[in-house]
Amino acid sequence: MQTKLSRSTSQIIAVPALILLLLGALWCSPQLYQPTLALIAVVSGSALLWLTFSRLKNTDFFESKPSLSPVKHQPFRRWRWVVIAMGIVCLLFMAQGGSPPDAFWTISDPLRTDTQFLLFCAGVALVSIGFMGVPSRRKVSGASRSQLTLVFIILLGFAVRIVNLENELHYFLDEMHFSDGITHLWKDPYTPIFTPINWIASFSWLYPFLQKFSVDIFGANLTGLRMVSVVFGTLTIPAVYLLGRWLFDRPTALIAALLLAIFPPHIHFSRLALNNIADPFFGTLALAFLARGLNRRDRASFVIAGVCLGMTQYFYEGGKLIFPPIVAMWMLWILVRQPHNRRENLRAFGVLIAVAFLVILPLMMMLGAWQSAYIPRSESQALSGNSWKNALATHDVAIILNTYWTDKLQPAIEHIISTPDTSEFYYGGNTALILPMLLPAFFVGVVYVVWRRRVETLILPAVIILAVFGNSLIENPGWTPRYVVAFPALCLLIAVGVRVLWRYVSTLSVPSGGRMRQPIASFGAFLGINSTGWIAPTLLITLSLLSLTYYFFPHMTSYNQQIRTFNDHQDVGWRVNDLPEGTHVYLFTIDYVFLPHYSGMENFWKRPLNITLVVDGQINFSLEEVSRQVPIALFVMAEDAYLISDLDFLFGLPEPQYSPYNVPIERQYILYYLPALSDNSGG
């Protein structure tokens, strides 16, 4: 009787809780932004939802975790020590081969970059095999329905990341650092692979080294440059599935994988040639295999977790700063809360830490030898900005705290739920990271995870909190690239909210024992609804279509306008690349032109562009000075009618040509192409 009464009371409380969370989501949207009302609604709704969960404390919203029999540890035979030693030798020899000659450990001439990479891969593989041993053979069963569903989701994620990759965003979006990195590697095959690219893109050469192979395959174009990001972005989908499977259950993991596959910000950065997208892949895998290792107690999981944790140090700085403390806090909590397994846990965590250290060792050695900072971007932008410096100058604690909240912490929080990308360059658009239609599920997921107070699931809000706090300590806390590291955690929390909300519908028919019926029958039934299994796939398909439609149409239309505040001078370079080599190009403009873009394009395409910039809008050359024995391309601003008239008088202009690429018409230069004449008589 008490159970039924509690369940009935919880259902009554849940209605206003969900209404308040829905209102909070609406007031968080940029179009209806009311921060005070949103805060009140979200806090009140979360409190009521907490009370609802407390009333249903015996209800299990998730299936039992996948049960696999623990793998027996193989004895640490002598050959494994030999393999580990060989791996360490490879890593050390690789590090000294990329160090300067005056480093005390340098014993050979500089090694080629590809040799450094091969030695690094061999060293990591040998260390992993040595610590892991030879895995025992397991019987392979046929593909289950959930596995087939995951394959479909992965294929969907790959499709939306590769479709129209070349032309949807035909613009070097801060990607020329990496195309310049490729051209540098072409010219200098002895580049130390783990030293910074430059003082702005202060990341290792590892990412452009990988991109070099895709450019060799697909060509020196945006597709070749961005393909590595497509691969990393797609592989993060099964990674988030694995993490969701071991933290919650298979249905939640599938929902999280689908949400990440259609998550607009993750799609976006999977389609850019920036190394930010590699961080969440390795970090999510590290957390997933740590969770798997704690469940199965097998050394292989801890070894893989250590490798992935070490690899988070080789790309963007978000991975360097967020995942090691998350893993450390998780392990420390386990050691404190499980004193009966402390020796076994210490042994397992020791393996993870040892492997991660050996993976990171070449990076630390090479950076130390070249006297390079470990996190240079964070150090250069830590607590910077005029407002912050002015606040510090007052020495008033109240002013400093208020400035920190207003200019640093609040924008970082708001970017997740309410405020668009403040750079209007890297992601842009008119929405925050989480679309308004998913915000209620996100709030529910956060409340549920915090209410359960299980450390293995609290790592998800911890990742987001560290990302928010870390970005609040540097300049421009509302820039989207700095949050890519938290995308899997966001999607997992939304998936938890979806799962809890959907399963809550079936509490009316739950037996007094409290555990909900197992999913049966149809594809949609994995959410726990027996008689209406068609509802789940319908809702998920609708959600996917809405999310993808938003990204590829309203978002990208707006974004292509936002990134081009001037006429697109990059587009001129791309169009010149389509013209015959040797064409003399004249660009008449009064807009901003970043000339290093053209030199970078010339190096990337291995051809001169021959662009002459005419910045005053006047014709400063006469017909006699222009050789007509070579083709001429005149790029003119569409609104400069007087200049077009003068050029027509001088040259007899042909029909204007417009960009074949996806560039807004109002941001294009008009092209007049004049073929070469047989003599130099003009006309």
Side-chain angles (χ1 to χ4, degrees), residues 536-670:
T538 301
L539 291 177
L540 292 175
I541 290 172
T542 302
L543 176 64
S544 301
L545 290 176
L546 288 174
S547 182
L548 295 176
T549 300
Y550 161 75
Y551 175 73
F552 283 103
F553 295 100
H555 180 85
M556 287 306 299
T557 300
S558 174
Y559 182 64
N560 269 304
Q561 295 279 353
Q562 288 174 323
I563 60 174
R564 296 176 171 93
T565 55
F566 303 99
N567 282 344
D568 191 350
H569 66 276
Q570 283 194 30
D571 182 58
V572 172
W574 285 100
R575 292 159 72 182
V576 171
N577 190 43
D578 296 332
L579 299 176
E581 192 165 347
T583 301
H584 284 183
V585 182
Y586 296 90
L587 173 58
F588 299 87
T589 185
I590 59 173
D591 275 352
Y592 174 74
V593 175
F594 188 60
L595 291 178
H597 279 156
Y598 292 145
S599 59
M601 290 175 171
E602 290 177 333
N603 294 330
F604 191 48
W605 295 327
K606 300 179 181 179
R607 60 157 291 181
L609 297 181
N610 298 321
I611 297 177
T612 300
L613 190 63
V614 186
V615 296
D616 57 3
Q618 303 295 322
I619 301 178
N620 60 357
F621 56 90
S622 64
L623 192 62
E624 291 76 17
E625 294 172 339
V626 178
S627 172
R628 294 301 307 277
Q629 293 181 335
V630 295
I632 296 176
L634 307 172
F635 286 90
V636 188
M637 301 173 70
E639 59 269 25
D640 200 342
Y642 291 108
L643 177 61
I644 294 174
S645 177
D646 290 343
L647 290 173
D648 186 40
F649 175 77
L650 288 174
F651 293 101
L653 297 179
E655 288 296 316
Q657 299 180 31
Y658 296 89
S659 177
Y661 305 110
N662 187 25
V663 179
I665 189 70
E666 63 273 17
R667 288 291 181 255
Q668 295 184 20
Y669 286 95
I670 298 176

Side-chain angles (χ1 to χ4, degrees), residues 253-402:
L254 286 172
I255 299 172
L258 177 63
L259 288 172
L260 189 69
I262 63 169
F263 193 50
H266 194 266
I267 295 173
H268 186 76
F269 284 93
S270 300
R271 295 167 61 87
L272 297 178
L274 303 177
N275 63 350
N276 308 61
I277 199 65
D279 284 353
F281 168 68
F282 287 109
T284 303
L285 273 184
L287 298 177
F289 278 97
L290 177 54
R292 183 178 185 268
L294 291 171
N295 184 275
R296 294 193 63 199
R297 298 291 173 179
D298 66 314
R299 186 183 289 112
S301 295
F302 292 104
V303 171
I304 298 174
V307 171
C308 294
L309 182 63
M311 290 305 300
T312 61
Q313 306 301 293
Y314 284 91
F315 301 96
Y316 195 69
E317 290 188 5
K320 291 183 177 182
L321 296 172
I322 288 181
F323 290 111
I326 291 292
V327 171
M329 288 188 293
W330 192 354
M331 292 190 300
L332 181 62
W333 181 264
I334 293 295
L335 291 174
V336 172
R337 299 291 292 182
Q338 297 182 6
H340 55 287
N341 287 331
R342 187 166 296 168
R343 178 173 296 181
E344 184 178 355
N345 287 330
L346 282 173
R347 186 184 299 113
F349 297 159
V351 168
L352 188 155
I353 294 171
V355 172
F357 171 77
L358 291 175
V359 172
I360 304 171
L361 182 60
L363 174 68
M364 295 189 296
M365 290 180 62
M366 212 172 287
L367 290 178
W370 290 98
Q371 298 182 348
S372 298
Y374 195 73
I375 47 173
R377 286 182 63 83
S378 299
E379 292 177 3
S380 63
Q381 298 194 24
L383 292 176
S384 59
N386 291 330
S387 62
W388 181 251
K389 293 177 182 177
N390 293 335
L392 289 177
T394 65
H395 302 289
D396 189 319
V397 176
I399 294 177
I400 293 173
L401 291 177
N402 181 68

